[in-house]
Amino acid sequence: MGTPSPWAMLVLAAALAGLSAPRAAYGKPNFIVILADDVGWGDLGANWAETKETPHLDDLAAEGMRFVDFHSAASTCSPSRASLLTGRLGVRNGVTHNFAITSVGGLPLNETTLAEVLREAGYSTGAIGKWHLGHHGRHHPSFRGFDYYFGIPYSHDMGCTDTPGYNVPPCPPCPRHVAAARVARKDCYMEVALPLFENVTIVQQPVNLSSLAARYAEEAARFIQRASDSGRPFFLYLALAHMHVPLEVPPPPPASSRGIYGASLSEMDALVGQIKRVADSHGKGNTLLWFAGDNGPWAQKCELAGRLGPFVGAWQRQRGGSSAKQTTWEGGHRVPALAYWPGHIPAKRTSHALLSTLDIFPTLVALAGAALPPNRRFDGLDVSPVLFGWSDTGHKVLLHPNSGAAGKDGQIETLRLAQYKAFYTTGGAMACDGSIGSAEHHQPPLIFNLDHDIQEQDPLDVASREYQAVLPAISMAYAQALEDIATDNVSVADYSKDPAATPCCNTQHVACRCQAPGSHAAVLDRRMEIRAMQLCL
């Protein structure tokens, strides 16, 4: 519900500031947005001293800006990603819960993505990694503004593989004619193999998870090189598989006491470090790199879930259930975030501004000198003044949608007003111990003062002077937000399912295998390529 600052104001302010905003004379800046999956606020060493596995991310924080009150737009995968790429909450863009392997739809086609806006502004656009916004037909990223795509269409535990990580089942070849013997032998797997796409073609199915991080780094470097050779600015959206579940079971690094999770976190950190080095090699100061998480840790994964830091949602924990991913407790949506842009973003700066992944869309659009799409409202702000160190003011009001725990998916039943946070619904998400807190509806709402109670342990006493003073402002902000949404141009996503929408490059195998086990070839024969194209188109 913010209105981005006019570009002219940035240019004027730049003339008065020690750090410069980009000007036309220097060309348009490049953008790299790195989105980590299910990473905890405390998984960043710069945030939490106990974390030792993130030296590259910590260097990024030291050389740029660290955001300590930064939030994902939703607490689960698809809605969070849709909001990042549209600048709009799920109640506006239509994406309120996750898409499935068999989903026919995706992010509604009438929603305009960040990639579409930037491509229209002259950018070369690329997406590498997890998509999870629809893979069937024109919902595929190749039709959503991206010139190049390399990655998996959904989470890497949503299909079988030959190189299983934790909780990813094996995927041996399984021709249809042996289906009757399959159950007795237990050497074939019914689930469709996890596919790897390059543009609209499946180039590997099942994907080799052991080499996936390295391939992402290689493809990112190639994309940046191609864009640089073309002379066009670029936008790279790199959506990592880390830290959803570990891709493999590597030995933990010496500095880690966190076993498999620590090893996976170290691998993610090294990948981010590689991307930073590649960006710097093409002109230090030409590229804004923005790192953030898509939502908080997946608590029910126990030792394979990330660190919440101080954001433990103690009120909920005392009653059972999770206070992390899927919930609207701080642990579900407060995520690590960093921005790095030498010569523009001040180094060693910590911002306490209330910000969100929603802000990435309008901020990059403004920095590119482009215009926001018309005939719709945005929940994000142009936070360029915060990036440049001119201001530390973000949202006054931030809405947190239901994301798979209690309440209707996508509905707004939690909001932040300055330091106050109001809950109209709590409970409904599974914790490590298997407990699920009972869904509770609160009228009047639970209100916490985060300045004094970051653990969200003790809500304000309803009879207290503080509660009575803040409740009218919260109620008014809530009513205004709901009215703004109700009168907006909103979209509706198609969540219908059809087995024919499943990505499959070889229907002769139950698991849709299109590459021999152990082979490093990444090219389909013509018959399989045609089949893959048909599935996408």
Side-chain angles (χ1 to χ4, degrees):
M1 276 121 26
T3 302
S5 304
W7 178 248
M9 292 297 292
L10 287 180
V11 175
L12 175 61
L16 304 175
L19 290 166
S20 61
R23 300 178 178 86
Y26 298 114
K28 295 181 179 181
N30 304 313
F31 304 125
I32 299 176
V33 174
I34 302 179
L35 190 69
D37 198 346
D38 294 359
V39 68
W41 189 92
D43 281 334
L44 186 65
N47 284 347
W48 200 243
E50 294 177 20
T51 298
K52 308 297 184 185
E53 297 88 356
T54 60
H56 297 98
L57 283 164
D58 297 343
D59 287 346
L60 203 65
E63 297 175 37
M65 184 173 287
R66 178 172 66 103
F67 305 101
V68 294
D69 201 357
F70 192 96
H71 301 260
S72 58
S75 299
T76 196
C77 296
S78 296
S80 176
R81 291 155 201 272
S83 291
L84 186 156
L85 290 174
T86 64
R88 288 154 54 85
L89 289 165
V91 286
R92 298 185 198 270
N93 66 41
V95 180
T96 57
H97 54 287
N98 289 340
F99 294 104
I101 295 172
T102 55
S103 287
V104 172
L107 175 64
L109 299 179
N110 59 309
E111 288 291 321
T112 304
T113 70
L114 177 57
E116 289 170 320
V117 175
L118 293 179
R119 186 164 68 176
E120 185 68 21
Y123 278 70
S124 177
T125 57
I128 293 175
K130 172 180 168 179
W131 179 239
H132 216 171
L133 291 175
H135 51 270
H136 185 65
R138 302 194 70 82
H139 296 286
H140 186 280
S142 292
F143 302 102
R144 304 313 305 266
F146 291 101
D147 299 320
Y148 179 73
Y149 173 63
F150 183 89
I152 55 178
Y154 30 72
S155 299
H156 64 278
D157 59 351
M158 292 174 65
C160 59
T161 69
D162 290 331
T163 53
Y166 183 82
N167 213 26
V168 180
C171 190
C174 198
R176 291 190 183 280
H177 68 271
V178 298
R182 186 168 56 245
V183 175
R185 296 197 338 257
K186 295 183 179 180
D187 62 351
C188 294
Y189 193 75
M190 280 291 291
E191 190 173 352
V192 172
L194 182 68
L196 178 66
F197 279 84
E198 183 167 25
N199 297 319
V200 297
T201 301
I202 298 174
V203 294
Q204 192 180 48
Q205 193 172 12
V207 63
N208 184 334
L209 290 181
S210 298
S211 61
L212 189 60
R215 294 195 71 177
Y216 282 175
E218 291 168 4
E219 294 303 328
R222 289 193 185 101
F223 170 79
I224 292 171
Q225 184 64 59
R226 288 195 302 269
S228 297
D229 291 344
S230 74
R232 297 167 62 194
F234 66 81
F235 164 53
L236 173 61
Y237 170 54
L238 177 57
L240 304 179
H242 303 81
M243 300 292 300
H244 186 71
V245 291
L247 277 70
E248 53 183 334
V249 188
S256 174
S257 60
R258 299 176 68 186
I260 295 171
Y261 189 89
S264 187
L265 184 59
S266 181
E267 183 180 53
M268 180 191 77
D269 178 73
L271 175 55
V272 174
Q274 282 182 269
I275 300 303
K276 175 182 176 290
R277 287 193 297 274
V278 170
D280 284 346
S281 72
H282 288 272
K284 202 166 186 178
N286 293 337
T287 301
L288 165 58
L289 191 158
W290 204 326
F291 172 89
D294 74 330
N295 48 248
W298 199 357
Q300 68 189 74
K301 292 296 181 180
C302 301
E303 73 277 3
L304 294 178
R307 283 189 168 126
L308 293 170
F311 308 108
V312 296
W315 188 92
Q316 185 64 63
R317 283 193 173 187
Q318 292 165 1
R319 291 159 176 76
S322 169
S323 57
K325 178 180 177 177
Q326 297 184 307
T327 78
T328 55
W329 298 99
E330 290 294 290
H333 52 75
R334 191 183 292 226
V335 293
L338 306 167
Y340 166 79
W341 190 7
H344 304 280
I345 293 176
K348 299 181 181 179
R349 184 70 65 94
T350 298
S351 170
H352 296 270
L354 179 58
L355 304 180
S356 167
T357 51
L358 290 161
D359 304 327
I360 293 175
F361 183 107
T363 302
L364 299 194
V365 168
L367 291 173
L372 290 173
N375 305 318
R376 68 201 66 189
R377 297 176 193 151
F378 293 86
D379 297 289
L381 301 172
D382 171 10
V383 297
S384 304
V386 177
L387 294 182
F388 297 142
W390 306 336
S391 167
D392 204 33
T393 300
H395 294 260
K396 183 179 179 182
V397 176
L398 191 62
L399 308 178
H400 300 300
N402 297 337
S403 300
K408 182 180 178 182
D409 287 334
Q411 191 166 332
I412 307 299
E413 293 185 304
T414 305
L415 80 156
R416 173 86 173 268
L417 174 66
Q419 74 269 34
Y420 294 100
K421 187 172 176 188
F423 291 82
Y424 292 87
T425 296
T426 56
M430 183 180 292
C432 171
D433 62 6
S435 66
I436 300 176
S438 299
E440 295 186 48
H441 300 284
H442 307 280
Q443 192 60 258
L446 293 180
I447 300 177
F448 295 84
N449 183 336
L450 297 182
D451 280 354
H452 302 144
D453 183 17
I454 201 63
Q455 295 185 344
E456 295 173 302
Q457 180 169 344
D458 298 310
L460 299 179
D461 185 336
V462 173
S464 71
R465 182 176 298 177
E466 185 177 12
Y467 188 99
Q468 292 300 319
V470 74
L471 180 60
I474 285 174
S475 298
M476 180 177 294
Y478 189 37
Q480 289 175 344
L482 297 182
E483 173 67 15
D484 184 78
I485 292 166
T487 57
D488 191 15
N489 181 11
V490 301
S491 301
V492 178
D494 178 4
Y495 277 97
S496 63
K497 298 177 182 178
D498 185 339
T502 303
C504 180
C505 62
N506 187 352
T507 57
Q508 297 306 306
H509 288 266
V510 170
C512 295
R513 179 176 297 277
C514 65
Q515 185 175 316
S519 169
H520 294 290
V523 180
L524 303 176
D525 63 37
R526 184 59 181 160
R527 176 177 56 83
M528 293 180 182
E529 183 173 333
I530 292 172
R531 165 63 178 161
M533 290 283 287
Q534 289 172 339
L535 278 167
C536 268
L537 300 174

